[in-house]
Amino acid sequence: MSEVKLDFSKGRHRPADYVSICTTIADNYPLGIPHGAQKDAIQNAFHTANKTVPVEFTFELVKNKKGTFFTMTDSNTNGLTGKVLGTEEYETLEESDHWARFEGFGFTTSNQDAIGARGQGKFVFLAASADYSMYYDSLREDDTYRLGATRATKTDCPMLHWDEEDGRGELKELTGLEPLSKLGTRIIIVNPIKELCDEIENGNFITAIEETWFRAIEKERVKIRVKTSDYDKVAKIPKLFPIPSKDTDKIKVWIKNNDEIKLLSGERFKIKHLQIAYKKGGEIPEQFRGVTIIHNNMKITSINMEGVPLDITDNIYGFIEFDRDLDRELRKNYNQNPNHYDLIWRRAVPKAIKEYIKEELREFGYKKIGIGIDPRERRKQIRSSAEIDALRYLSKYAKDLDLFGRKGGIVKPPPPSPLPPSNKLIGIMLHNFNFPDPEIAPRINWEEEIKDFEVRIFNKTNEHLKGRLRIFMLFGDREINILHDEKNIDITPYLKPKSIGTFSIIFSKSVFPDPGEYRLKIRLINEVNNLEIDSLSKILWIEKDPEFRLPFETHPDDFTNKEGIEKRQWITTGILGEEPILYYNIMHSCYKQVEEDKELQTDYLFEIFLEGSIDFILNRPDKEDGTPDYHPLDSSKILKDPKDAYFEISGKMAEIKSKYYEEI
């Protein structure tokens, strides 16, 4: 039987929502659009660099009669070479077709030394524009000039271009800017978003550059400046660098050159430089803590020392660099995330790099700082990191499960007084803790207030205790505001939830001056032995959007000797929108199998958090008319019979797990 072939050459193009593509890609940049814009722009310049002289790069915020523009200009590069190609010509891209690659999406290069070659950076630039618009001009190595323009819309991302004098004239008409006079390329973001303008004007933008490119700056491979109408600054090496070549009175160092890692397959790769430093009491800025992984001159991520106190971990910094072969290996898309902010640690090469760094940190700690690794503290740090990653992944599918809303209709209000968690015998509870604006929670803006929340104590045992209750706010590990500190609290046997008091917090700028993540911490302490009985915490983001929203709180717990739930992996309390908490059992045999491996534990926690999400869905309050509300599950199947309910629930979980494992 002969195959029937269709001619698709005259078919219609498939529309795509490019605005959504821009925002989705930008959302995957963990440190925000401004940080991602500088990172992608400079790495693009290295891709077309003239290798004999340092790359020069200038960022400038321009305000003139034509509007507001943010320009990103490289020089000592070869420009965006090549022709403007039609769609059909992308089938046979040449290595020199830099203009076409910049305008295209997903056309990777065979150049093993190129890092900015996946085509998504331009969408971060478009997301940095309130109009989703940008211009780009280039003076190329053949001395020709070209101007391009593009704008993302709900159905398309059309492109325009003008060559030579037409381009120069059009640029002046559109922007009031002068055409390029030096070999190189310039990206012009039209009407930059407020977040980007603020970061440039307050100095955070140049700080991000110095964090990302400190090794390239130190080795004089790039010169970067940031300009506004108020200042003209050159990016400098952070004060922590260069790391001394030997120990000093204040700094202990650990240096390895030309070392190697070996994979289980027997394959070997070269570690070019490893430098680690410990500066006691050095107050190392958070962005420089740990061993920074440098790939093709650029920071990717960091690895911290595990299993030691924070006053040690927070004072360790350094970096690791690789030879060309290992740099090329890391560039492969199965080893590194497309946004260049993390490696895929499950893969053999990244995993070997991480183990090498961890082993060197352990040896450094033992030989130079005189500390051993506390396995309990190390497991705790692994758990904390895995929990955050699992919740971050779950938050991506929260809309699919509607964990933040109630799309099924109006619901009855939850009961006014929740019961104590079934897995706790003595403890504390929060009641009536409501964010000022639930739509943006856990974000809180300055001068907003959380009003009249209660802290309650309960005791299900026959034991009589004296306790101390502390309620305070943390920024990082620093206490900044104590709300309550009461001693000699009488915790009587079989005490039903008893209110200790009603509290309110006004988030004034004078008390909470730094935008970012804060924690409300509540601790109940046994006054006899000074051991913690129970604690609760709430994460708050003040004057800054969180990296991701938490659909519910999660708490590790020991279910041993807790009758009826000893073998359970997790339990939940509360309902969605009203203090939902998932407790997971860190003594369960399944958990024990993964507690030493962060990646395996992330997978495990993601799966049980997903199971807990289904439990919260099945416990949604009924609709106002009294009918059950199990959306996005099909209520008719849930109510029909156990077999139908099982297949409906397992099908939804399999769908989410499939997306998760495909993504990682």
Side-chain angles (χ1 to χ4, degrees), residues 136 175 193 197 246 342 365 369 411-412 440 452 485 522 561 605 624:
Y136 40 100
T175 67
I193 58 175
C197 294
K246 58 184 180 180
D342 209 354
I369 311 176
V411 299
K412 296 176 182 178
I440 63 171
D452 302 329
D485 192 347
I522 306 170
N561 300 323
L605 292 179
E624 197 171 46

Side-chain angles (χ1 to χ4, degrees), residues 631-651:
H631 76 277
L633 301 173
D634 186 331
S635 295
S636 64
K637 293 180 180 178
I638 298 297
L639 296 169
K640 189 175 181 180
D641 64 51
K643 185 176 180 180
D644 283 345
Y646 174 79
F647 276 100
E648 176 68 8
I649 292 169
S650 61

Side-chain angles (χ1 to χ4, degrees), residues 90 99-107 118-120 122-123 159:
Y90 274 80
W99 183 277
R101 290 182 188 279
F102 179 79
E103 292 194 323
F105 180 38
F107 294 94
R118 304 191 189 190
Q120 71 174 32
K122 70 183 69 61
F123 292 106
M159 299 168 290

Side-chain angles (χ1 to χ4, degrees), residues 165-357:
E165 292 309 312
D166 289 342
R168 292 183 173 93
E170 195 71 27
L171 178 74
K172 289 183 179 180
E173 178 64 27
L174 291 168
T175 67
L177 301 175
E178 291 296 322
L180 291 178
S181 58
K182 291 180 67 176
L183 199 65
T185 299
R186 172 173 54 186
I187 310 298
I188 305 167
I189 294 173
V190 180
N191 191 14
I193 58 175
K194 183 178 184 298
E195 179 188 359
L196 177 57
C197 294
D198 289 348
E199 294 287 283
I200 295 162
E201 291 173 344
N202 65 24
N204 288 342
F205 190 80
I206 197 167
T207 299
I209 291 169
E210 292 169 344
E211 169 206 352
T212 307
W213 301 98
F214 71 89
R215 276 297 284 166
I217 296 170
E218 182 180 341
K219 293 186 286 187
E220 298 184 346
R221 292 183 178 175
V222 64
K223 297 178 181 178
I224 309 167
R225 66 194 308 168
V226 180
K227 299 171 65 176
T228 72
S229 58
D230 296 324
Y231 69 78
D232 183 348
K233 294 182 179 179
V234 175
K236 299 178 180 179
I237 307 169
K239 292 180 180 179
L240 295 170
F241 302 97
I243 291 174
S245 59
K246 58 184 180 180
D247 292 349
T248 69
D249 291 341
K250 295 182 178 180
I251 300 175
K252 301 290 185 183
V253 299
W254 186 260
I255 296 175
K256 293 283 185 76
N257 295 314
N258 299 315
D259 209 349
E260 67 176 18
I261 58 171
K262 182 179 178 181
L263 307 188
L264 291 175
S265 64
E267 193 173 7
R268 298 172 185 267
F269 289 99
K270 285 286 185 182
I271 304 296
K272 193 173 182 180
H273 300 296
L274 171 72
Q275 295 188 14
I276 306 173
Y278 169 68
K279 188 176 183 181
K280 187 174 182 180
E283 297 183 357
I284 308 302
E286 186 175 355
Q287 66 267 31
F288 292 111
R289 293 173 189 167
V291 177
T292 295
I293 293 175
I294 302 293
H295 174 226
N296 282 43
N297 302 300
M298 175 179 67
K299 174 182 176 178
I300 301 296
T301 187
S302 298
I303 302 294
N304 289 304
M305 181 180 278
E306 297 173 344
V308 298
L310 284 176
D311 61 345
I312 300 292
T313 301
D314 290 352
N315 289 314
I316 289 176
Y317 65 102
F319 65 87
I320 187 170
E321 291 178 313
F322 315 112
D323 72 352
R324 175 175 287 189
D325 288 342
L326 186 45
D327 261 341
R328 287 175 170 177
E329 184 66 24
L330 285 179
R331 181 191 166 273
K332 295 175 180 176
N333 58 13
Y334 53 73
N335 281 327
Q336 184 175 167
N337 288 348
N339 59 24
H340 306 297
Y341 279 92
D342 209 354
L343 300 181
I344 300 174
W345 300 111
R346 291 171 178 78
R347 304 297 302 182
V349 172
K351 189 171 185 177
I353 290 170
K354 178 183 274 189
E355 289 305 315
Y356 172 84
I357 294 172

Side-chain angles (χ1 to χ4, degrees), residues 73-178:
T73 310
D74 64 60
S75 56
N76 290 339
T77 61
N78 296 322
L80 292 177
T81 56
K83 300 181 296 182
V84 176
L85 300 184
T87 303
E88 66 284 351
E89 294 176 283
Y90 274 80
E91 296 279 355
T92 55
L93 275 176
E94 300 289 338
E95 184 57 42
S96 60
D97 284 326
H98 293 303
W99 183 277
R101 290 182 188 279
F102 179 79
E103 292 194 323
F105 180 38
F107 294 94
T108 57
T109 174
S110 59
N111 181 354
Q112 297 184 70
D113 297 317
I115 48 176
R118 304 191 189 190
Q120 71 174 32
K122 70 183 69 61
F123 292 106
V124 176
F125 303 153
L126 287 170
S129 163
D131 303 329
Y132 294 97
S133 299
M134 70 177 181
Y135 308 124
Y136 40 100
D137 63 339
S138 188
L139 187 61
R140 290 97 66 79
E141 58 184 350
D142 60 0
D143 205 32
T144 58
Y145 176 85
R146 181 179 294 148
L147 170 70
T150 189
R151 181 178 185 180
T153 72
K154 288 284 187 179
T155 57
D156 202 355
C157 194
M159 299 168 290
L160 301 170
H161 78 279
W162 302 264
D163 284 317
E164 300 296 0
E165 292 309 312
D166 289 342
R168 292 183 173 93
E170 195 71 27
L171 178 74
K172 289 183 179 180
E173 178 64 27
L174 291 168
T175 67
L177 301 175
E178 291 296 322

Side-chain angles (χ1 to χ4, degrees), residues 179 394 552 614:
L394 183 66
F552 45 80
I614 298 296

Side-chain angles (χ1 to χ4, degrees), residues 446-447 478 480 506-514 518 542:
W446 281 319
E447 308 311 324
R478 177 167 53 92
I480 60 164
I506 298 175
F507 294 91
S508 63
K509 189 174 182 179
S510 59
V511 179
F512 304 92
D514 299 305
Y518 291 75
I542 298 179

